[in-house]
Amino acid sequence: FRGIDKDLNGILNEAEFREMARVFEEQHNIPMDTERLLMAIDPYNYQQITFSQCVALFSSVILLEKL
């Protein structure tokens, strides 16, 4: 998260989240539907995505992939 959060404010904007999804996809070899994930994590486009939200979202992606 810290490596993606370029302005070090503890919050990801859309561009930073897209980068995180790309890195996650590469590291875990899990195909990502970034648009769907973005809508799930930030449906109102506030562009203030927290570390906790990312942990919850990507944990669920890993769990669903194992099913």
Side-chain angles (χ1 to χ4, degrees):
F1 188 92
R2 288 183 190 164
I4 302 292
D5 181 16
K6 301 296 184 211
D7 54 5
L8 301 175
N9 66 352
I11 295 172
L12 300 184
N13 61 29
E14 181 178 336
E16 292 167 331
F17 177 81
R18 287 179 184 280
E19 176 67 11
M20 176 166 273
R22 185 191 63 76
V23 169
F24 186 88
E25 181 176 33
E26 289 175 0
Q27 290 179 347
H28 296 279
N29 198 29
I30 298 173
M32 295 278 134
D33 181 349
T34 305
E35 294 304 318
R36 187 174 65 99
L37 293 176
L38 191 55
M39 287 301 298
I41 202 166
D42 189 20
Y44 301 108
N45 198 27
Y46 292 141
Q47 297 201 32
Q48 296 190 354
I49 302 165
T50 66
F51 175 77
S52 298
Q53 288 174 303
C54 288
V55 168
L57 180 71
F58 289 115
S59 294
S60 67
V61 167
I62 290 173
L63 287 174
L64 289 173
E65 184 66 23
K66 290 183 178 185
L67 293 178

